[in-house]
Structures are given as C-alpha cells and as structure tokens.
Amino acid sequence: MHRYSRMQTILLYIVLLLLATAFLFPLLWMIVSSFKNEAQIFADLRSFKAFVPTSFSLENYHQVFARIPFLHYVWTSVLYVTLIMLFGLLVNALAAYAFARMEFKGRDVLFAIVVALIIVPFESILLPLYIVVDEFGWLNSYTGLIVPFIANAFNIFMFRQFFLNLPRELEESARIDGASTLRIFFQIVVPVSKPVFTTVGILTFITHWGDFMWPLIMTTDDRVRPLQVGMQFFFHQPPVQYGQVMAALTMATLPLLIVFIFFQRYIIQGIAQSGMKN
C-alpha cells in the first residue's frame, strides 16, 4: 500500500512537471527571442534553438525605448492599477464588513445580488459603462480608468468570507468599551486581516495590470494610455520587428512574474483562510 501511494505521488509530480513545462515554453521562447535579431528568430523557429539564447543583444530593448514612450506607459499602468487597488481595498473591505457584521433590512438580498454580479461578464456592461463615463466627462482621464473598478463583487465576497471567520469576542469587548464601528474596523479587524488584504490586493494588481479592452475604448492619446494599449499600437507601428515585440512583452510581463513569485504563498494563505463559511 505504501509503495502504491509512493508511485501515485511520483506520477503526480511527473504530470505537474510536464504541465509546468508546457506552460513555461511560450514564456521562455518570448524571453529568449527578445535577445535575438529578426533573422535569428525565424532561423531558429523550427528547432529547439528557439528556446536557447544562441545570440545575445540588448538592441531590441533599446529600440523599444526609442520608438515608444515605454516608461510613460509603465508609469500610467502603475499609477492607475495602484489607485484601483488602494481605493478598492478600502471600499470593498468596508462593504464586506457591513455584510458580515451589521444587521440591516435587505442585507441578504443585497449580498445575493453582489454574488450574482460575479458571473456577469464585463462585455455585457461595457457599452452602458461607456455611456455613463461619457456623461460624467471622464473619457480619456485617470478618473474614467479608476472609478468604475474600485468596487468589485468578488473582492467583497472574499472579504466577507474572511470576516465571518473572525472571532467576535474582540469586537464585542471594544464595543463595550465604547468604540465605534469604524474604530473597531480599523483598529481591530484590519490588523488581523492582513492575509485577505494581501490576497485581494495582489489579485487586483494582476487583474488590472493586463487591462486592455476598457482602456482601449476610453483613451485617445498617450497621456493616459496604459502599457497594454500602448504596446498594441506599437505592435502595429511599421516596421514591425518581432524581436522588439518580444522585448516589449518581456518587460510588460516581468512585474507580474515578480508579484507571483514573491507573493504566491500569500494568495494561497488568504484564499485558504477566507474559507467558504455562509
């Protein structure tokens, strides 16, 4: 029996290794190709050399910075994603705490609506959202990029599930001492909820770093154009050089890889501690 279990474990690791390799190959090809010239990329395309750095040059990276305002695109993405993350943590956590701890008429119905919104695809609200943002005069502005995405149904759900699992004793003791609801939230609940705050923050960053459709339709110039949209215009800017395209993609992917590598354990911990308590 012990030997059978050991064989199962070995087989599982082999399957996971094969899957990891399959997912990593495109990423490896992109990074390696970013250091090759155009001719070398296509010469190595049909062999294993496509994944081997047969040549090494930073010229593709130099050309990306020369042809487009790449650092400005990065700054725009960092700014608006960070603001969405920070304001979102505050708004979604407060909303979730109200659903988890406060008693008010229609609470369960409102929360059911929030949960239902999780499955609504963004494409179905794209046009109405565009019309509303246009009416407010927020097109081609940071406000239009940030405000519509501060409140997030899934993040509210995550926070609420975590708060439900917190013991009430500390909150009740503070309330007896005369602490207000907001003071209890910021001084007692928030400090013990670091795992879920970290998880939601990381997931928000990863989600909005790759935003494309909404910034594409509501930005018209480079002043507020984020990285993903700016790169799309670069990809169609003649002459199209695939080595430079790979260099731009590598630099755009690097922040996500860093976040995932250093914070993946917090994501797992936060989701595990959120639980599925009703």
Side-chain angles (χ1 to χ4, degrees):
M1 186 67 181
H2 177 71
R3 184 178 179 182
Y4 177 74
S5 176
R6 187 176 179 182
M7 289 296 296
Q8 277 189 318
T9 303
I10 294 174
L11 182 61
L12 176 61
Y13 276 110
I14 292 174
V15 172
L16 292 176
L17 181 62
L18 291 174
L19 288 174
T21 303
F23 282 109
L24 286 175
F25 264 164
L27 182 64
L28 178 61
W29 176 72
M30 177 186 72
I31 296 173
V32 170
S33 297
S34 70
F35 296 105
K36 296 180 179 180
N37 59 46
E38 201 77 359
Q40 193 66 50
I41 291 175
F42 288 97
D44 296 341
L45 196 57
R46 295 181 179 275
S47 68
F48 191 72
K49 290 182 179 180
F51 304 99
V52 178
T54 53
S55 62
F56 184 87
S57 172
L58 295 177
E59 181 61 24
N60 291 326
Y61 291 88
H62 293 158
Q63 288 300 317
V64 170
F65 288 109
R67 294 179 61 185
I68 61 173
F70 187 84
L71 290 179
H72 177 73
Y73 291 152
V74 172
W75 164 248
T76 301
S77 290
V78 169
L79 178 63
Y80 99 87
V81 171
T82 300
L83 290 176
I84 289 176
M85 182 175 65
L86 294 178
F87 285 115
L89 288 175
L90 176 63
V91 171
N92 295 317
L94 285 171
Y97 187 71
F99 283 124
R101 289 292 193 256
M102 299 177 69
E103 298 286 345
F104 55 90
K105 188 176 181 180
R107 183 191 67 174
D108 294 338
V109 174
L110 286 175
F111 183 70
I113 294 173
V114 170
V115 173
L117 289 174
I118 296 176
I119 64 173
V120 176
F122 176 71
E123 290 77 9
S124 65
I125 64 170
L126 182 62
L127 181 58
L129 181 61
Y130 181 87
I131 294 173
V132 170
V133 169
D134 185 31
E135 289 293 325
F136 279 110
W138 291 349
L139 291 181
N140 206 44
S141 69
Y142 285 112
T143 307
L145 283 172
I146 296 166
V147 172
F149 302 100
I150 290 176
N152 183 281
F154 179 75
N155 291 346
I156 293 174
F157 174 79
M158 283 280 293
F159 275 119
R160 188 247 186 189
Q161 298 305 108
F162 188 91
F163 294 154
L164 284 176
N165 291 328
L166 294 178
R168 293 176 177 266
E169 288 75 12
L170 291 176
E171 298 168 65
E172 292 172 352
S173 299
R175 199 176 301 279
I176 292 174
D177 292 337
S180 65
T181 301
L182 283 178
R183 184 178 178 184
I184 292 173
F185 176 77
F186 285 108
Q187 294 188 358
I188 297 177
V189 175
V190 171
V192 299
S193 303
K194 290 180 181 178
V196 71
F197 273 89
T198 304
T199 301
V200 171
I202 294 170
L203 292 178
T204 301
F205 178 88
I206 292 174
T207 298
H208 291 287
W209 183 261
D211 278 349
F212 176 74
M213 185 178 297
W214 177 249
L216 176 66
I217 68 171
M218 66 85 58
T219 59
T220 57
D221 61 58
D222 282 340
R223 183 175 57 87
V224 292
R225 188 169 284 159
L227 181 59
Q228 306 300 333
V229 178
M231 287 199 307
Q232 185 64 27
F233 281 92
F234 170 62
F235 296 161
H236 293 89
Q237 176 182 322
V240 178
Q241 298 290 324
Y242 289 98
Q244 297 173 22
V245 169
M246 296 304 167
L249 288 173
T250 298
M251 290 188 287
T253 307
L254 189 60
L256 293 181
L257 291 177
I258 293 173
V259 168
F260 180 77
I261 291 172
F262 286 99
F263 295 101
Q264 59 176 316
R265 66 186 183 93
Y266 293 104
I267 299 176
I268 297 171
Q269 181 184 9
I271 294 175
Q273 292 189 14
S274 293
M276 287 293 132
K277 184 176 178 180
N278 295 319

